[in-house]
Protein backbone atom coordinates (compact mmCIF):
# COMPACT_ATOMS: atom_id res chain seq x y z
CA UNK A 1 0.00 0.00 0.00
CA UNK A 2 1.30 3.42 -0.96
CA UNK A 3 1.94 5.46 2.18
CA UNK A 4 2.25 8.76 0.31
CA UNK A 5 -0.62 11.22 0.67
CA UNK A 6 -2.39 11.93 -2.61
CA UNK A 7 -4.75 14.82 -3.32
CA UNK A 8 -7.08 14.59 -6.31
CA UNK A 9 -9.14 17.46 -7.72
CA UNK A 10 -12.88 16.66 -7.81
CA UNK A 11 -14.20 19.70 -9.67
CA UNK A 12 -15.54 18.00 -12.80
CA UNK A 13 -18.72 16.10 -13.57
CA UNK A 14 -21.15 17.24 -10.87
CA UNK A 15 -24.95 17.19 -11.18
CA UNK A 16 -26.83 20.24 -9.91
CA UNK A 17 -30.45 21.07 -9.15
CA UNK A 18 -31.79 24.37 -7.82
CA UNK A 19 -34.51 24.20 -5.18
CA UNK A 20 -35.10 22.82 -1.70
CA UNK A 21 -35.87 19.20 -2.54
CA UNK A 22 -37.08 16.93 0.22
CA UNK A 23 -34.95 14.06 1.51
CA UNK A 24 -38.06 11.97 2.19
CA UNK A 25 -41.36 12.04 4.09
CA UNK A 26 -41.49 13.35 7.65
CA UNK A 27 -40.68 10.50 10.03
CA UNK A 28 -39.90 10.11 13.71
CA UNK A 29 -36.59 11.07 15.28
CA UNK A 30 -35.77 7.40 15.87
CA UNK A 31 -36.40 6.55 12.22
CA UNK A 32 -34.35 9.54 11.07
CA UNK A 33 -31.45 8.58 13.34
CA UNK A 34 -31.54 4.99 12.15
CA UNK A 35 -31.81 5.83 8.47
CA UNK A 36 -28.89 8.25 8.21
CA UNK A 37 -26.66 6.09 10.43
CA UNK A 38 -27.43 3.06 8.28
CA UNK A 39 -26.81 4.78 4.96
CA UNK A 40 -30.50 5.04 4.09
CA UNK A 41 -30.89 8.77 3.51
CA UNK A 42 -33.83 9.48 1.23
CA UNK A 43 -34.58 11.77 -1.69
CA UNK A 44 -31.63 13.40 -3.49
CA UNK A 45 -29.31 12.29 -0.67
CA UNK A 46 -29.90 8.63 -1.57
CA UNK A 47 -27.19 7.01 -3.71
CA UNK A 48 -29.73 5.50 -6.14
CA UNK A 49 -31.64 8.77 -6.65
CA UNK A 50 -32.26 9.47 -10.33
CA UNK A 51 -30.39 12.70 -11.13
CA UNK A 52 -30.30 12.15 -14.89
CA UNK A 53 -32.47 15.22 -15.41
CA UNK A 54 -30.18 17.45 -13.37
CA UNK A 55 -27.79 19.91 -14.95
CA UNK A 56 -24.17 18.78 -15.44
CA UNK A 57 -21.47 21.28 -14.46
CA UNK A 58 -17.91 21.72 -13.22
CA UNK A 59 -16.87 23.53 -10.07
CA UNK A 60 -16.44 26.25 -8.90
CA UNK A 61 -20.10 27.22 -9.24
CA UNK A 62 -22.34 30.05 -7.99
CA UNK A 63 -26.06 29.41 -8.40
CA UNK A 64 -27.15 32.79 -6.98
CA UNK A 65 -25.38 34.85 -9.66
CA UNK A 66 -27.33 32.86 -12.25
CA UNK A 67 -30.67 34.03 -10.84
CA UNK A 68 -32.48 37.12 -12.20
CA UNK A 69 -32.21 40.48 -10.49
CA UNK A 70 -35.06 41.27 -8.11
CA UNK A 71 -35.75 44.96 -7.30
CA UNK A 72 -37.27 43.85 -3.99
CA UNK A 73 -34.15 41.91 -2.94
CA UNK A 74 -31.48 43.28 -0.62
CA UNK A 75 -29.44 46.03 -2.31
CA UNK A 76 -26.29 45.07 -0.38
CA UNK A 77 -26.46 41.62 -1.93
CA UNK A 78 -26.75 42.84 -5.49
CA UNK A 79 -30.55 42.60 -5.71
CA UNK A 80 -30.19 38.81 -5.69
CA UNK A 81 -32.16 36.38 -3.55
CA UNK A 82 -30.53 33.47 -1.79
CA UNK A 83 -31.66 29.94 -2.58
CA UNK A 84 -31.04 26.25 -1.89
CA UNK A 85 -29.15 24.02 -4.30
CA UNK A 86 -28.20 20.35 -4.46
CA UNK A 87 -25.00 18.83 -5.86
CA UNK A 88 -24.29 15.17 -6.61
CA UNK A 89 -21.13 13.50 -7.89
CA UNK A 90 -20.50 9.83 -8.70
CA UNK A 91 -16.96 8.46 -8.64
CA UNK A 92 -15.16 5.13 -8.35
CA UNK A 93 -12.66 4.11 -5.70
CA UNK A 94 -10.11 1.33 -6.34
CA UNK A 95 -10.19 -1.67 -4.02
CA UNK A 96 -6.57 -0.89 -3.11
CA UNK A 97 -7.76 2.16 -1.14
CA UNK A 98 -9.16 -0.11 1.58
CA UNK A 99 -7.09 0.48 4.71
CA UNK A 100 -6.27 4.07 3.85
CA UNK A 101 -7.96 7.18 5.25
CA UNK A 102 -10.07 9.19 2.83
CA UNK A 103 -11.12 12.81 3.19
CA UNK A 104 -13.18 15.09 0.98
CA UNK A 105 -11.94 18.66 1.40
CA UNK A 106 -14.04 21.70 0.49
CA UNK A 107 -12.16 24.96 -0.04
CA UNK A 108 -15.39 26.94 0.24
CA UNK A 109 -19.16 26.37 0.20
CA UNK A 110 -21.65 29.19 0.66
CA UNK A 111 -23.35 28.75 2.89
CA UNK A 112 -24.96 26.25 5.29
CA UNK A 113 -24.30 22.81 3.84
CA UNK A 114 -24.85 19.13 4.62
CA UNK A 115 -22.70 16.36 3.11
CA UNK A 116 -23.60 12.71 2.48
CA UNK A 117 -21.70 9.78 0.98
CA UNK A 118 -23.57 6.69 -0.19
CA UNK A 119 -26.57 7.70 1.90
CA UNK A 120 -24.58 8.25 5.10
CA UNK A 121 -24.56 11.77 6.52
CA UNK A 122 -20.95 12.90 7.00
CA UNK A 123 -21.50 16.28 8.62
CA UNK A 124 -22.55 19.90 8.26
CA UNK A 125 -20.72 23.20 7.90
CA UNK A 126 -22.34 26.58 8.48
CA UNK A 127 -19.70 29.13 7.45
CA UNK A 128 -19.44 30.22 3.85
CA UNK A 129 -15.90 31.54 4.24
CA UNK A 130 -13.93 28.71 5.86
CA UNK A 131 -12.69 25.47 4.35
CA UNK A 132 -13.57 22.13 5.94
CA UNK A 133 -13.21 18.41 5.41
CA UNK A 134 -15.27 15.26 5.96
CA UNK A 135 -13.93 11.75 6.56
CA UNK A 136 -15.20 9.32 3.91
CA UNK A 137 -13.40 6.22 5.14
CA UNK A 138 -16.18 4.33 6.90
CA UNK A 139 -18.89 5.15 4.35
CA UNK A 140 -16.85 4.49 1.20
CA UNK A 141 -17.46 1.67 -1.28
CA UNK A 142 -14.03 0.28 -2.18
CA UNK A 143 -13.73 -1.20 -5.63
CA UNK A 144 -17.01 0.33 -6.77
CA UNK A 145 -19.21 3.37 -7.27
CA UNK A 146 -19.63 6.12 -4.69
CA UNK A 147 -22.09 9.02 -4.62
CA UNK A 148 -21.21 12.28 -2.87
CA UNK A 149 -24.13 14.65 -2.19
CA UNK A 150 -24.06 18.24 -0.92
CA UNK A 151 -27.09 20.35 0.01
CA UNK A 152 -26.28 24.10 0.08
CA UNK A 153 -28.57 26.62 1.76
CA UNK A 154 -27.68 30.20 0.79
CA UNK A 155 -30.87 31.82 2.05
CA UNK A 156 -29.13 33.47 5.02
CA UNK A 157 -26.33 36.04 4.75
CA UNK A 158 -23.06 36.45 6.63
CA UNK A 159 -21.92 39.82 5.31
CA UNK A 160 -23.38 43.00 3.82
CA UNK A 161 -22.08 42.45 0.27
CA UNK A 162 -22.82 40.06 -2.58
CA UNK A 163 -21.97 36.56 -1.32
CA UNK A 164 -23.40 34.16 -3.89
CA UNK A 165 -24.24 30.55 -3.17
CA UNK A 166 -22.96 27.09 -3.97
CA UNK A 167 -19.69 25.17 -4.04
CA UNK A 168 -17.71 28.19 -5.15
CA UNK A 169 -14.19 26.85 -4.55
CA UNK A 170 -12.35 23.63 -5.31
CA UNK A 171 -13.14 20.17 -3.90
CA UNK A 172 -10.40 17.61 -3.25
CA UNK A 173 -10.20 13.90 -2.46
CA UNK A 174 -7.26 13.16 -0.14
CA UNK A 175 -5.96 9.64 0.49
CA UNK A 176 -3.40 8.72 3.14
CA UNK A 177 -2.10 5.85 5.24
CA UNK A 178 -3.71 4.99 8.59
CA UNK A 179 -0.74 6.69 10.28
CA UNK A 180 -0.68 10.22 8.92
CA UNK A 181 -0.23 13.89 9.68
CA UNK A 182 -3.53 15.26 10.93
CA UNK A 183 -5.64 17.69 8.93
CA UNK A 184 -3.96 21.11 9.31
CA UNK A 185 -1.56 19.21 11.55
CA UNK A 186 1.62 21.20 10.81
CA UNK A 187 2.18 24.54 12.54
CA UNK A 188 5.26 26.71 11.98
CA UNK A 189 6.12 29.59 14.33
CA UNK A 190 9.00 31.71 12.95
CA UNK A 191 10.90 34.40 14.89
CA UNK A 192 13.84 36.73 14.12
CA UNK A 193 16.49 37.99 16.51
CA UNK A 194 16.93 41.72 17.21
CA UNK A 195 19.13 42.50 14.21
CA UNK A 196 17.23 40.16 11.89
CA UNK A 197 20.33 38.08 11.21
CA UNK A 198 19.09 34.78 12.61
CA UNK A 199 15.74 33.13 12.16
CA UNK A 200 14.33 30.42 14.39
CA UNK A 201 11.40 28.27 13.33
CA UNK A 202 9.56 26.11 15.86
CA UNK A 203 7.57 23.32 14.23
CA UNK A 204 4.70 21.35 15.73
CA UNK A 205 3.33 18.31 13.90
CA UNK A 206 0.30 16.29 14.99
CA UNK A 207 0.39 12.65 13.90
CA UNK A 208 -2.71 10.46 14.01
CA UNK A 209 -2.89 6.66 14.05
CA UNK A 210 -6.29 5.53 12.77
CA UNK A 211 -5.16 1.92 12.45
CA UNK A 212 -5.71 -0.93 14.89
CA UNK A 213 -2.05 -1.62 15.68
CA UNK A 214 0.39 0.36 17.79
CA UNK A 215 2.93 1.93 15.44
CA UNK A 216 6.34 3.57 15.73
CA UNK A 217 6.65 6.55 13.39
CA UNK A 218 9.32 9.12 12.62
CA UNK A 219 8.53 12.71 11.65
CA UNK A 220 11.04 14.51 9.45
CA UNK A 221 10.57 18.25 8.87
CA UNK A 222 12.49 20.09 6.15
CA UNK A 223 12.74 23.87 5.84
CA UNK A 224 13.45 24.95 2.26
CA UNK A 225 14.94 28.37 1.63
CA UNK A 226 13.75 30.57 -1.27
CA UNK A 227 16.84 29.62 -3.31
Amino acid sequence: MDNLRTRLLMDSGWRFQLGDLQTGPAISHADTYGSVKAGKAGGPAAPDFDDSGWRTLDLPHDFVVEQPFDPAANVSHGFKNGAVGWYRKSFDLPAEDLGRRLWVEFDGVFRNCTVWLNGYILGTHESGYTSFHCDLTDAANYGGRNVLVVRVDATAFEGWWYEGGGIYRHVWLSKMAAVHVDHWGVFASPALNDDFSIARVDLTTTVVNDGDAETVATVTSTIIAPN
Side-chain angles (χ1 to χ4, degrees), residues 77-97:
H77 295 274
F79 293 103
K80 296 277 189 173
N81 291 309
V84 175
W86 286 82
Y87 296 85
R88 290 171 52 92
K89 179 177 175 62
S90 298
F91 62 98
D92 293 329
L93 285 174
E96 293 76 18
D97 281 344

Side-chain angles (χ1 to χ4, degrees), residues 16-142:
F16 171 75
Q17 180 66 41
L18 185 69
D20 193 9
L21 307 178
Q22 297 298 312
T23 56
I27 54 179
S28 69
H29 170 75
D31 288 339
T32 302
Y33 182 85
S35 65
V36 298
K37 293 293 184 179
K40 297 180 181 179
D48 58 354
F49 179 82
D50 182 10
D51 59 12
S52 60
W54 288 21
R55 173 183 168 192
T56 301
L57 54 78
D58 296 335
L59 304 178
H61 175 242
D62 178 359
F63 58 74
V64 171
V65 75
E66 298 174 342
Q67 306 312 306
F69 291 101
D70 181 357
N74 190 299
V75 60
S76 297
H77 295 274
F79 293 103
K80 296 277 189 173
N81 291 309
V84 175
W86 286 82
Y87 296 85
R88 290 171 52 92
K89 179 177 175 62
S90 298
F91 62 98
D92 293 329
L93 285 174
E96 293 76 18
D97 281 344
L98 183 62
R100 306 185 77 185
R101 302 304 297 184
L102 306 179
W103 295 337
V104 58
E105 299 179 271
F106 295 88
D107 286 349
V109 179
F110 196 91
R111 174 187 169 268
N112 186 3
C113 68
T114 305
V115 183
W116 294 263
L117 181 72
N118 299 332
Y120 294 87
I121 188 167
L122 300 181
T124 61
H125 190 73
E126 296 185 3
S127 173
Y129 294 105
T130 57
S131 60
F132 65 99
H133 78 288
C134 298
D135 195 318
L136 308 180
T137 310
D138 295 335
N141 177 27
Y142 300 94

